[in-house]
Amino acid sequence: MKQFTLQNRQLIIVGEALRDLPTNDFKTNRAKHKLLKLINKKFEEYAEDEKLLIETHAEKDADGEPIKLDGGNYKIDKANTKQAQKEINELGDMKAVIVYGEFALDIKPAIEYILNYEGHIDAKMGQGLFDLIEAYEKEEEK
């Protein structure tokens, strides 16, 4: 099965880089969006895992429900702050395996486009595209 591996924490920057990468033709755009869909699916899983992890370390109300602050964030129990941060970092370091087997031919034009892209790339986009290509090429070499 064709796949490549990123760290969970790389998913957002790779997804943003793909989203912001301009394309000029339908074939490349379609390939980019197929790849972006796979990345976004993994990011949604990661975000849900992170939310559940944070909820376990949040202060609870009288009903045992996590307390939310005005901005929508959870109020972390001060006694759990270090442990919560440690677990959040560990979750970010975990591998996110992007399985693209059935889309192998579909995403290839996007990979080729990225490799040959000559437009402007800022630092953030450059890091996201670099992470993506490194992970993709590492698996292709196997």
Side-chain angles (χ1 to χ4, degrees), residues 21 114 117-127 129:
L21 183 69
I114 293 167
Y117 183 69
E118 294 182 5
H120 175 75
I121 298 177
D122 64 21
K124 189 174 180 182
M125 180 187 281
Q127 185 63 55
L129 296 177

Side-chain angles (χ1 to χ4, degrees), residues 17-88:
L18 277 173
R19 185 195 68 222
D20 294 343
L21 183 69
T23 54
N24 298 323
D25 66 272
F26 178 76
K27 183 178 179 181
T28 303
N29 194 51
R30 182 173 181 268
K32 179 181 94 164
H33 283 280
K34 292 256 185 186
L35 187 53
L36 186 56
K37 184 176 179 180
L38 295 172
I39 300 289
N40 285 342
K41 179 180 175 189
K42 282 295 177 181
F43 177 75
E44 289 169 9
E45 292 173 13
Y46 168 52
E48 182 62 26
D49 289 345
E50 186 177 56
K51 179 183 176 225
L52 293 172
L53 192 153
I54 291 170
E55 286 176 348
T56 64
H57 291 288
E59 287 186 24
K60 308 293 191 284
D61 63 16
D63 296 327
E65 294 297 316
I67 298 173
K68 280 192 175 182
L69 302 172
D70 289 338
N73 293 325
Y74 292 97
K75 184 176 182 182
I76 301 297
D77 183 354
K78 291 186 193 287
N80 290 333
T81 303
K82 286 184 181 179
Q83 183 62 29
Q85 190 59 57
K86 179 181 181 249
E87 291 178 19
I88 289 168

